[in-house]
Amino acid sequence: MPPPRITKPIYFGPFLVTSQVFHTTPHTFALVNLKPILPGHVLISPHRRVPRLRDLTPAEISDLFLTVQRVSRMIERVFNATALNIAVQDGADAGQSVPHFHAHVIPRREGDLEGGGDAVYRLMEGEEGDVGGHLEERERERGRGREERSDGVQTGRRRGQFPAVDADEVRKPRSEEEMRREAEWFAEEMEKENA
Amino acid sequence: MPPPRITKPIYFGPFLVTSQVFHTTPHTFALVNLKPILPGHVLISPHRRVPRLRDLTPAEISDLFLTVQRVSRMIERVFNATALNIAVQDGADAGQSVPHFHAHVIPRREGDLEGGGDAVYRLMEGEEGDVGGHLEERERERGRGREERSDGVQTGRRRGQFPAVDADEVRKPRSEEEMRREAEWFAEEMEKENA
């Protein structure tokens, strides 16, 4: 068993994601996704749990987007990609599901999605892009679900979410073990980028 | 007539966009859109005409995303928005239509688009998001169209582009005058942000 890469717990919004984290810098961490839209879909977030771009300091912005660049380079190389989508839903009314600033990085290549270069946006509309919903589902499966209101309304549910399509309903979230292994792999690959 | 804000020509890819530019910094410029997806949809680009995030220097990345933050703050205030979409199509296979790095900033508020927070992505799929196609169309209208191949295939056409929907076909690009006035207005509003 290799020594743990990360020595203290890392939270993404209310969610403990330490085993999903593959890279950290003074202000930023990068994590693998519970239900990636495409293989290699990762998230980059500031350590400070603030929701909006406007909340970030100049040092945090520089560090975060330099990390996006370095992580993008690794992801593009490892997944033999030719392009990347980089997207921020900055606030609930823009589709943000976890109130902790994060940039999506998604590797792309020709013909990877039916519908062409921009088809990834359709997937971000559906259940696939609902990072918060996925993490809440996992919390419930772990038997320590987040609070639900007595009227049965789930809290933290993304506004304006599209109904989940059948194909996605049957898709299972990835296991902790699968994500931990991917995070270890990406951590090794990041070493090559820094060299 | 106010003195010109911008003293030398600014190019976005092959396109002269000086009158659309409302803000410049040492490494970055911000411009208004020919066919915005929503009012206040603007683009932020580095002065250096490079296509990909990986091409940017650390100084360019810091300057560009600090400018995205400042411009976002202005756009959110001026358009009474509550959120923003920030998106980069980093390469043709991710939907990039002009090979000059640019971040889209789109102000959002509840119920602004049928379909909720992420519906903006559907619009980016269609002709609405095809920044390059729109600018080429304008060049043709100006009577100095870009080269067309003898086989009639338009060059610079975005890969994987969705067919234009009828509603968009009849929508006219904005006039030079309208964009120039909007750019002047945004330039004044940017002064308030810096104060």
Side-chain angles (χ1 to χ4, degrees), chain A residues 76 82 93 115 118 158 162, chain B residues 52 82 93 115 118 158 162:
Chain A
E76 187 165 336
T82 53
D93 288 326
D118 282 339
R158 185 177 62 173
F162 272 42
Chain B
R52 302 289 312 273
T82 53
D93 288 325
D118 282 339
R158 187 176 61 171
F162 273 41

Side-chain angles (χ1 to χ4, degrees), chain A residues 49 54 65 140:
Chain A
R49 267 184 271 174
R54 66 174 174 227
F65 286 100
R140 283 193 296 274

Side-chain angles (χ1 to χ4, degrees), chain A residues 48-82:
Chain A
R48 212 156 52 87
R49 267 184 271 174
V50 292
R52 303 289 313 273
L53 179 65
R54 66 174 174 227
D55 300 321
L56 301 180
T57 65
E60 286 171 328
I61 287 184
S62 297
D63 187 68
L64 191 139
F65 286 100
L66 285 168
T67 305
V68 167
Q69 187 191 43
R70 278 203 307 281
V71 166
S72 295
R73 209 147 43 193
M74 180 277 284
I75 288 291
E76 187 165 336
R77 172 174 58 77
V78 167
F79 288 87
N80 292 313
T82 53

